[in-house]
Amino acid sequence: MSKEMRFLVFAIEYYRQAKGLTGPEVAALFREKGLSQYVLDNYFLYHIESPDLMVADIDRYVETGERPAL
């Protein structure tokens, strides 16, 4: 498994716990919003910042559909 995929697993689990979601709920959200690819696209940013900032950024993307200006 690549380091990016390991990080994606971490990100999904961290997001699930931070938002109090069940496994099926977070899986559905990530699938519906394309969040797995979003996290992978932002891997180099997310793996060096606070996981809480990642959660906030994912929430902003879910709400607005806008990607961060990198």
Side-chain angles (χ1 to χ4, degrees):
M1 181 183 300
S2 71
K3 62 185 176 191
E4 292 86 359
M5 291 306 290
R6 280 193 300 272
F7 183 79
L8 177 60
V9 171
F10 162 79
I12 291 169
E13 182 60 18
Y14 194 90
Y15 190 83
R16 184 192 71 73
Q17 289 181 3
K19 303 312 268 181
L21 300 172
T22 66
E25 289 171 333
V26 77
L29 178 65
F30 269 61
R31 185 175 39 258
E32 290 168 13
K33 300 292 185 176
L35 293 174
S36 294
Q37 189 60 53
Y38 181 75
V39 169
L40 290 172
D41 289 347
N42 291 288
Y43 166 76
F44 290 106
L45 172 65
Y46 290 159
H47 87 281
I48 61 171
E49 72 178 17
S50 162
D52 293 324
L53 292 175
M54 175 187 67
V55 169
D57 186 57
I58 291 171
D59 283 344
R60 187 171 33 257
Y61 178 69
V62 167
E63 292 172 13
T64 67
E66 295 178 9
R67 293 181 169 266
L70 300 177

